[in-house]
């Protein structure tokens, strides 16, 4: 992953206060995959989780204040459009400026991933749009995207060109998977 090395420094794109949901209705396309899972680990569900609703309409940025823990003085913050973070923790008690960030999350998708000998539903290819107005990394003070490739494994700080590079890389992999799918269908048909 040397290609993305310069994006993967500094903060984590983790979502604030978001527990993993219980998987919901299983996607029809993954039914064949479910038959490959050990019967004791089989689940008939998969989840897509919508982001939290913003406190105000997406076309009206919120302005709020917090007490800077370093200086003891109040600081004013204006959220980016579409920010879904409540910021209540930062407003209620003195906060470090590095802990202030705006975030808007996309839908979460979970797939059964076998990392420990039995499949578990893991969040994959989730993304967040972020702004960290007090970051020591100047680029993070502008809107940027973090992609959670697989639960707790992030590509961070993507500007538009960086995000386009990731999208292109994933599109190439999807095309490879389509070719592999065609090979699998043919191999199964000939195997009978």
């Amino acid at each position: 992953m040397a290609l993305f090395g310069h994006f993967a420094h500094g903060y984590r794109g983790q979502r604030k206060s978001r527990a993993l949901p219980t998987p919901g209705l299983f996607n029809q396309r993954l039914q064949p995959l479910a038959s490959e899972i050990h019967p004791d680990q089989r689940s008939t569900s998969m989840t897509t989780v919508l982001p939290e609703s913003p406190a105000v309409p997406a076309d009206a940025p919120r302005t709020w204040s917090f007490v800077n823990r370093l200086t003891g003085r109040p600081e004013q913050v204006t959220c980016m459009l579409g920010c879904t973070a409540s910021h209540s923790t930062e407003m209620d008690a003195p906060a470090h400026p590095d802990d202030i960030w705006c975030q808007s999350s996309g839908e979460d998708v979970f797939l059964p991933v076998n990392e420990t000998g039995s499949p578990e539903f893991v969040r994959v290819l989730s993304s967040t749009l972020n702004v960290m107005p007090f970051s020591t990394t100047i680029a993070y003070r502008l809107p940027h995207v973090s992609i959670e490739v697989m639960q707790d494994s992030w590509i961070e700080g993507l500007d538009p060109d960086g995000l386009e590079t990731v999208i292109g890389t994933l599109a190439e992999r999807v095309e490879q998977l389509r070719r592999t799918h065609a090979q699998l269908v043919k191999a199964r048909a000939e195997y009978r």
Side-chain angles (χ1 to χ4, degrees):
M1 282 212 130
L3 174 65
F4 303 112
H6 64 284
F7 298 120
H9 64 281
Y11 98 108
R12 290 301 210 193
Q14 68 268 21
R15 291 140 200 234
K16 292 185 177 185
S17 306
R18 289 192 65 186
L20 288 178
T22 305
L25 207 23
F26 199 0
N27 184 322
Q28 292 286 337
R29 292 183 179 169
L30 291 178
Q31 287 296 345
L33 182 59
S35 65
E36 307 282 330
I37 299 172
H38 188 276
D40 294 340
Q41 297 296 320
R42 206 170 278 156
S43 173
T44 58
S45 60
M46 180 176 153
T47 298
T48 298
V49 179
L50 297 177
E52 302 160 6
S53 298
V56 295
D59 60 348
R62 293 177 287 159
T63 298
W64 53 278
S65 297
F66 74 101
V67 174
N68 184 323
R69 189 173 66 200
L70 300 176
T71 65
R73 290 188 232 150
E75 301 256 1
Q76 195 170 45
V77 178
T78 299
C79 290
M80 69 175 181
L81 291 175
C83 177
T84 58
S86 74
H87 300 295
S88 60
T89 303
E90 294 87 359
M91 286 186 258
D92 292 344
H96 194 287
D98 286 349
D99 294 334
I100 307 297
W101 75 76
C102 292
Q103 187 171 67
S104 177
S105 301
E107 294 181 1
D108 289 341
V109 175
F110 294 80
L111 292 174
V113 175
N114 185 347
E115 248 188 315
T116 60
S118 60
E120 296 179 26
F121 279 90
V122 173
R123 188 173 48 236
V124 296
L125 295 178
S126 295
S127 64
T128 61
L129 178 62
N130 313 289
V131 172
M132 301 174 67
F134 300 98
S135 177
T136 55
T137 303
I138 301 301
Y140 287 172
R141 294 182 186 185
L142 297 172
H144 59 278
V145 169
S146 296
I147 297 174
E148 190 174 25
V149 178
M150 193 170 91
Q151 195 165 310
D152 299 325
S153 296
W154 294 85
I155 299 172
E156 301 169 322
L158 295 169
D159 64 10
D161 291 337
L163 180 57
E164 184 62 32
T165 299
V166 172
I167 291 168
T169 301
L170 293 174
E172 290 173 10
R173 295 309 305 155
V174 167
E175 286 307 311
Q176 175 61 46
L177 288 171
R178 290 186 196 287
R179 290 189 295 274
T180 301
H181 176 261
Q183 291 173 333
L184 175 62
V185 169
K186 182 179 178 187
R188 284 205 168 190
E190 292 172 354
Y191 192 75
R192 295 181 189 169

